[in-house]
Amino acid sequence: GAGKTENTKKVISYFATVCSSGKRKEGEASLEDKIVQTNPVLEAWGNAKTVRNDNSSRFGKFIRIHFNQAGKLSGADMVVYLLEKSRLTYQQPLERCYHAFYNIMSDQVPSIKEKCLLSDNILDYWFVSQGKLTVPSIDDKEDMQFAD
């Protein structure tokens, strides 16, 4: 609720813009774009519904951004990735486990459940069906469409 995730996106975007190397092949995503694009992937597997926030980051990260001698962005790595492990096995009645599982179960990508050997019934999965199965402010099908 303090805006840490949004601030992280803005800081990475700022460094990516200010320190852009400008060198890349035609049609290829820049290094800067690739770094900025890591955040949604982390959020899909690390955000969950809490009592106070429908899309709360349940992980912490320290992103180290590397610059070359000319001051241009040369890479990045994540030093720490802490996941709230307790959420994997238990949710309170008004909470929900990590959004990614519900995205997969949404039927947006019809073949994915078969590939993952999942049934069609989310209630078959006790560890993710103890709390809320849907969240009005989150469209699991739309989120899965972006992930596909």
Side-chain angles (χ1 to χ4, degrees), residues 72-141:
K72 299 297 181 190
L73 192 59
S74 64
D77 66 277
M78 189 165 306
V79 178
V80 176
Y81 184 85
L82 302 171
L83 189 64
E84 187 181 54
K85 296 176 193 172
S86 62
R87 185 163 302 278
L88 293 171
T89 59
Y90 176 75
Q91 303 88 49
Q92 294 183 29
L94 296 177
E95 295 188 335
R96 180 168 104 152
C97 192
Y98 297 105
H99 297 315
F101 185 75
Y102 307 93
N103 297 166
I104 291 169
M105 294 298 285
S106 73
D107 289 326
Q108 177 62 35
V109 180
S111 63
I112 197 158
K113 284 195 271 186
E114 183 180 344
K115 289 178 184 175
C116 294
L117 303 175
L118 298 171
S119 76
D120 287 330
N121 187 353
I122 198 164
L123 296 176
D124 288 341
Y125 305 97
W126 167 248
F127 288 119
V128 294
S129 63
Q130 300 166 60
K132 293 286 186 188
L133 301 181
T134 60
V135 178
S137 65
I138 295 174
D139 185 336
D140 291 315
K141 285 188 175 197

Side-chain angles (χ1 to χ4, degrees), residues 10-21 32 36 72-73:
K10 288 183 185 346
V11 168
I12 292 172
S13 292
Y14 172 78
F15 280 129
T17 301
V18 171
C19 304
S20 173
S21 63
E32 295 78 21
V36 171
K72 299 297 181 190
L73 192 59

Side-chain angles (χ1 to χ4, degrees), residues 23-78:
K23 298 178 184 176
R24 67 176 192 261
K25 296 177 184 173
E26 182 70 30
E28 181 181 62
S30 68
L31 175 60
E32 295 78 21
D33 290 337
K34 290 176 185 175
I35 293 170
V36 171
Q37 290 170 1
T38 62
N39 213 52
V41 173
L42 295 174
E43 287 183 15
W45 291 99
N47 285 16
K49 181 194 179 325
T50 62
V51 174
R52 289 198 253 165
N53 185 339
D54 285 352
N55 196 31
S56 181
S57 299
R58 308 316 305 155
F59 63 96
K61 61 183 179 275
F62 179 81
I63 300 173
R64 187 179 319 173
I65 300 174
H66 304 280
F67 301 92
N68 64 20
Q69 291 180 337
K72 299 297 181 190
L73 192 59
S74 64
D77 66 277
M78 189 165 306

